[in-house]
Amino acid sequence: MLTPELHTALAAAARQKLAAAIDAERAAGERAEAVARGPYYPSPYRFFTDFLAPTYRRKTIDNPEMMWCPRWFAHPEARGRVEALWRAWEHLRLDQTTGLSVWWKDHADHHMAKLLSPDGTFKDCTPHHRQVHPLPSIDIPTELLTLDDADPAATRL
């Protein structure tokens, strides 16, 4: 039997479910629109200049605990890590719940610790910038360099 109390409870539950569905649909639409518009920052360099550098402030000058090179973009590893940070930020900014927290915890804290480590990316760089040498390697056989990317089994070690 449908009592007035049960009717009220069912109506409230239905309204709550409907509101949640509308909110989820609205959020999905907003994410789709943001993706269609493209990235907020057009490049990892603009991301660094406009967001990362002013936001991630640390004392790096005369601090042996943190190494940084003002010509970070001349270091392939630093360029790669800043690009990874940018790509992750662009993706996670669209998550209105925990996206930016995940970005800080899983991406910024991880990559910046690697970049700033005294034994990290800029370990051998000097105040006047000195590029460090790449990892040593003998010449990779041509057949390994030309493996067909379409055959994932061919790239297994």
Side-chain angles (χ1 to χ4, degrees), residues 16 21 24 38 41 66-68 72 89 97 103 112 115 118 132 151:
Q16 188 176 19
Y41 296 104
M66 292 191 179
M67 300 295 292
W68 184 259
W72 64 270
W89 187 90
T97 56
W103 181 81
M112 293 307 291
L115 286 168
V132 296
D151 181 9

Side-chain angles (χ1 to χ4, degrees), residues 15-155:
R15 280 193 298 275
Q16 188 176 19
K17 284 267 194 191
L18 181 59
I22 290 170
D23 287 347
E25 191 172 309
R26 183 180 300 126
E30 288 171 0
R31 283 192 298 277
E33 286 176 24
V35 168
R37 282 193 305 269
Y40 187 85
Y41 296 104
S43 72
Y45 305 104
R46 180 60 59 197
F47 169 75
F48 179 86
T49 301
D50 292 350
F51 177 78
L52 191 62
T55 304
Y56 204 95
R57 294 171 179 248
R58 300 293 186 274
K59 182 179 188 258
T60 59
I61 297 171
D62 298 326
N63 182 356
E65 298 300 314
M66 292 191 179
M67 300 295 292
W68 184 259
C69 177
R71 292 192 61 209
W72 64 270
F73 47 84
H75 295 264
E77 180 185 354
R79 277 196 319 270
R81 288 185 181 276
V82 169
E83 181 171 350
L85 287 168
W86 168 64
R87 289 177 182 273
W89 187 90
E90 289 291 346
H91 175 76
L92 290 168
R93 75 181 173 89
L94 303 175
D95 176 351
Q96 298 297 312
T97 56
T98 60
L100 290 179
S101 180
V102 168
W103 181 81
W104 280 104
K105 178 180 72 72
D106 292 346
H107 300 278
D109 290 345
H110 171 77
H111 287 295
M112 293 307 291
K114 299 292 184 184
L115 286 168
L116 292 167
S117 169
D119 194 36
T121 309
F122 308 117
K123 176 184 177 184
D124 293 325
C125 197
T126 66
H128 303 291
H129 178 71
R130 181 178 73 205
Q131 187 64 277
V132 296
H133 298 287
L135 294 173
S137 176
I138 62 171
D139 289 339
I140 298 173
T142 304
E143 59 271 15
L144 292 178
L145 293 174
T146 58
L147 285 175
D148 183 5
D149 290 336
D151 181 9
T155 60

